[in-house]
Amino acid sequence: MPPNDQGPISVGIDIGSTATKAVVLTDRVLGQAVTPTGWDPKKAGLQVLDEALEAAGVAQDRVGAIIGTGYGRISLPIFTRRVTEITCHALGAHFLHPATRTVIDIGGQDCKVIALDEQGAVSDFIMNDKCAAGTGRFLQVMAASLDVSLDELGALAATAEPVPLSSMCTVFAESEVIGLLARGVEKAGIAAGIIDTIARRLHCLAGKVPLRDSVIFTGGIAQNCDICEKIAASLSTELHVPACPQFVGALGAALIGHEITTSFSPE
């Protein structure tokens, strides 16, 4: 059935510090798009909106609601409503996997643990957004210190026992990694130590919001299978990773838009 013959259409846009994502939704996902946020979150938001609508084959005047989330949600004036990424990640994860009771999300500048009730509502959460420790930015800096990509970092970490890193601070950890390399320590062990540092940070968060099954891992870092496996082993828990973990927040935003458009649609 062509999109124009379907029910109300909504769009969720998640403007994160590293990547901006959009999802076009009816009773299913029609299209999605992602682009680096760069220095202009407004431009990135409009770009993914256009690209996701094009992928869905939908004109913008067919969209009943556009919901914004992520740190850059204040940058665009087009949103029907703005919603926190905590709520959106919870809704998106519960939609994809109704048994979800915990969401772990590692974003570019923060990491968070979200507890859900049986209906997918947020019952508790904790967020590390005061420094880059345990975030995607931390991993990017550490990978650059080893002169490898994020994919290569995960693959390296999977092959070795971790070399302990004493610091979770990005600046001090980078200096520590450079020092280890200068002493001839193998990259693989350092890579495993870096992933362990992420897990330790999550351990700290999980001490305040305990992990309850099922645990969903979202965000761009979750696309790296090797990193997922290392973190799961370190946390001694099974992590479920959806097919497109980077889009879970945008999906949750689109679901809120769907509820709004459905409420105002004629029967």
Side-chain angles (χ1 to χ4, degrees), residues 82-211:
R82 295 175 177 84
V83 183
T84 71
E85 58 266 42
I86 300 294
T87 298
C88 290
H89 274 86
L91 286 172
H94 184 262
F95 177 81
L96 293 171
H97 187 59
T100 301
R101 295 296 176 269
T102 308
V103 177
I104 293 176
D105 177 76
I106 298 181
Q109 298 289 349
D110 64 44
C111 60
K112 40 194 170 286
V113 176
I114 308 167
L116 281 63
D117 65 18
E118 288 73 10
Q119 284 72 46
V122 176
S123 60
D124 198 2
F125 74 93
I126 187 166
M127 190 170 180
N128 164 41
D129 59 355
K130 301 301 182 187
C131 69
T135 69
R137 177 63 181 159
F138 175 86
L139 280 176
Q140 286 179 333
V141 172
M142 294 303 107
S145 299
L146 293 178
D147 195 25
V148 298
S149 68
L150 275 180
D151 286 342
E152 292 169 332
L153 179 75
L156 275 173
T159 64
E161 290 299 314
V163 173
L165 297 179
S166 60
S167 180
M168 292 186 187
C169 168
T170 303
V171 175
F172 291 122
E174 183 182 22
S175 298
E176 193 173 355
V177 166
I178 292 171
L180 289 169
L181 288 172
R183 286 160 42 200
V185 177
E186 292 292 331
K187 284 186 178 181
I190 300 173
I194 290 168
I195 305 303
D196 251 20
T197 300
I198 294 280
R200 277 160 44 207
R201 190 64 180 174
L202 291 171
H203 257 304
C204 292
L205 298 180
K208 298 176 181 176
V209 178
L211 307 180

